[in-house]
Amino acid sequence: MDWKSIKQIKGLKSISQIGAATAGGNAIAAFFWIYMADFMGQEDYGELGYLLSIAGIASTISILGGQWTMSVYTAKGIQIESSLYFISIITSTISAAVLYFLFENVGISVYVVGLVVFNLFIAEILGKKQYKKYSKIFFSQKIILVTLAIILYYILGVEGVLLAYGISYLVFTSRIISTLKNRDFNFELLRKRFKFWMNNYVYELSSTARNQIDILLIGPLFGFALLGNYFLGLQVLSLFLILPLIIFRYTLPEDSSGSSTKQIKIMAIVASIGLALLGIFVAPEIIPLVLPEYTDVIDLIPLLSIAIIPRTTTAMLMSGFLAKENNKYLVLGNVISISVLVLGILYLPQYFDVVGLAIAYVLGVTAQTIYLIVVHLRITKIQSSNTNQI
């Protein structure tokens, strides 16, 4: 494929608009986390990762219907925004109150409310294909976060970083308030589409559990110092996953509105192979120079980098399943991934020490990807057979 044909691929302009902010914003956040790893030390860094995992689960529970329900339906022109905002603000406030009672930490409570409204807002903008607007808001949030987090960590410690997150999200609530004022609530739309958004809600709960269960287990089982190394490895991995995140945020609304995204998805999977090689061979040489205290992460990163390929493939498949409102397979995929990951964390370190944690992670995401590929091929074969019969 030559350069001219690449430039003519549908969607590259929109992807560049999403990508500039997503890549820039996530790169800032990732480098900030690497800086904080050195600044905070392994114990505090591990504790912060643990609290973020708890807050992440609470925020997912609070978004009734799931974040991507907003993107799918706004892309289809169904005005469901105000209803989802209203319900999720109530549920997130309840979650924030419960977390404050349990942890007596204002930061984690503000974080949950802020993350819920911000994620819904981003999903709405992407669903409406307002990619320039998304770019400005996403990038701005990261700049606000980094600035506040450094300041508030000096004042409040770990709680200050959580508070900075929450404030950086809540800065944009005025736009959401405007939506609530100018749009009528239509809960009948939610009732009529109960099956899809409930399935999507269960999917996102299972997805969050898959993304956080390792952190929640490693802290109590192996200590926050080791968790700090593992959490740092995930932050490095997140740098390499910026590209598939950009592609997914473009393909979901496009798939939902019936546009073809096949070429873009193939390019993303091919690119993930190159990114994995960078993670395997380059990252382990750089990390010791920057963060010599984190010795365990050097062994973790090469293996964790292998996960870039299955995670990218899963994201591309996930876009198609969500767009067709066919998310039961995604839930099963997450259940498979969680099962493999938990078993791996419990047993593999006995034989492979800290490397066993990375092996468990790779096996978990790979099992999910294999399952989704099999399902996708089966559905494609059935559809092709039905078309030939017609």
Side-chain angles (χ1 to χ4, degrees):
M1 183 181 291
D2 59 28
W3 176 242
K4 288 184 179 180
S5 62
I6 291 175
K7 290 197 296 182
Q8 291 173 356
I9 293 176
K10 183 181 181 296
L12 281 184
K13 181 178 180 181
S14 296
I15 288 175
S16 67
Q17 292 173 346
I18 299 173
T22 303
N26 280 356
I28 289 172
F31 284 117
F32 163 72
W33 278 115
I34 293 172
Y35 164 77
M36 291 299 287
D38 184 43
F39 185 64
M40 297 175 71
Q42 297 178 64
E43 289 283 346
D44 278 356
Y45 195 64
E47 180 187 354
L48 178 58
Y50 189 75
L51 291 174
L52 283 172
S53 292
I54 293 171
I57 291 172
S59 66
T60 303
I61 293 172
S62 300
I63 302 180
L64 189 63
Q67 174 186 359
W68 301 117
T69 295
M70 178 76 85
S71 280
V72 171
Y73 282 136
T74 51
K76 295 176 184 291
I78 299 170
Q79 295 185 350
I80 206 168
E81 306 97 290
S82 57
S83 300
L84 286 177
Y85 279 135
F86 180 76
I87 294 172
S88 296
I89 287 172
I90 292 174
T91 53
S92 65
T93 302
I94 294 171
S95 295
V98 171
L99 287 176
Y100 182 76
F101 176 77
L102 293 174
F103 296 96
E104 295 185 356
N105 186 313
V106 174
I108 196 171
S109 297
V110 176
Y111 176 93
V112 169
V113 177
L115 182 60
V116 167
V117 295
F118 185 76
N119 278 347
L120 281 175
F121 183 43
I122 287 296
E124 178 195 351
I125 293 171
L126 289 172
K128 293 178 178 177
K129 304 181 184 180
Q130 297 174 348
Y131 300 130
K132 287 184 179 180
K133 185 176 181 180
Y134 160 81
S135 299
K136 293 177 182 178
I137 291 171
F138 187 83
F139 192 78
S140 299
Q141 183 270 325
K142 299 301 181 186
I143 296 296
I144 295 169
L145 164 64
V146 171
T147 304
L148 286 177
I150 293 173
I151 295 171
L152 292 179
Y153 179 73
Y154 277 105
I155 301 172
L156 299 171
V158 171
E159 183 177 358
V161 179
L162 293 166
L163 186 60
Y165 255 109
I167 294 172
S168 71
Y169 293 137
L170 291 172
V171 166
F172 305 97
T173 52
S174 60
R175 300 169 184 264
I176 296 165
I177 292 171
S178 176
T179 299
L180 291 171
K181 286 182 177 180
N182 298 325
R183 293 279 178 86
D184 295 330
F185 299 123
N186 192 340
F187 298 110
E188 184 65 15
L189 286 174
L190 287 174
R191 188 190 68 80
K192 289 180 179 178
R193 293 162 175 82
F194 176 81
K195 183 178 180 180
F196 169 71
W197 66 254
M198 181 51 70
N199 285 340
N200 194 45
Y201 182 54
V202 172
Y203 159 68
E204 292 197 27
L205 286 175
S206 65
S207 183
T208 299
R210 183 206 65 202
N211 291 334
Q212 307 298 345
I213 192 67
D214 49 349
I215 295 174
L216 294 179
L217 286 174
I218 291 170
L221 290 175
F222 303 102
F224 284 124
L226 180 56
L227 177 58
N229 280 270
Y230 184 81
F231 189 63
L232 175 60
L234 294 181
Q235 300 313 307
V236 175
L237 179 62
S238 70
L239 273 172
F240 294 107
L241 290 172
I242 289 175
L243 177 61
L245 175 62
I246 292 169
I247 303 298
F248 173 79
R249 290 188 170 182
Y250 166 76
T251 59
L252 179 59
E254 295 294 330
D255 285 340
S256 298
S257 59
S259 300
S260 175
T261 58
K262 183 178 179 180
Q263 286 182 301
I264 290 295
K265 290 177 179 178
I266 292 172
M267 287 179 62
I269 294 171
V270 171
S272 71
I273 299 172
L275 293 172
L277 292 174
L278 286 175
I280 293 169
F281 296 108
V282 178
E285 300 297 324
I286 298 175
I287 294 298
L289 302 176
V290 182
L291 299 168
E293 178 185 353
Y294 291 76
T295 54
D296 288 327
V297 79
I298 301 170
D299 297 321
L300 292 170
I301 287 177
L303 283 167
L304 288 174
S305 298
I306 297 172
I308 296 169
I309 300 170
R311 284 199 58 176
T312 301
T313 305
T314 294
M316 299 304 100
L317 292 167
M318 187 175 79
S319 176
F321 282 119
L322 283 174
K324 295 175 182 177
E325 302 185 22
N326 193 6
N327 44 21
K328 64 180 179 180
Y329 300 113
L330 298 177
V331 175
L332 292 173
N334 281 330
V335 171
I336 291 170
S337 181
I338 292 169
S339 301
V340 173
L341 178 58
V342 170
L343 289 173
I345 289 173
L346 293 177
Y347 293 105
L348 289 178
Q350 300 176 29
Y351 305 100
F352 301 101
D353 199 34
V354 66
V355 175
L357 298 175
I359 295 173
Y361 182 90
V362 174
L363 290 177
V365 297
T366 302
Q368 177 189 28
T369 303
I370 291 172
Y371 169 74
L372 292 178
I373 289 173
V374 171
V375 171
H376 173 72
L377 292 175
R378 189 184 69 180
I379 292 175
T380 302
K381 183 178 179 180
I382 293 172
Q383 291 175 342
S384 177
S385 176
N386 291 338
T387 301
N388 291 333
Q389 288 178 4
I390 295 173

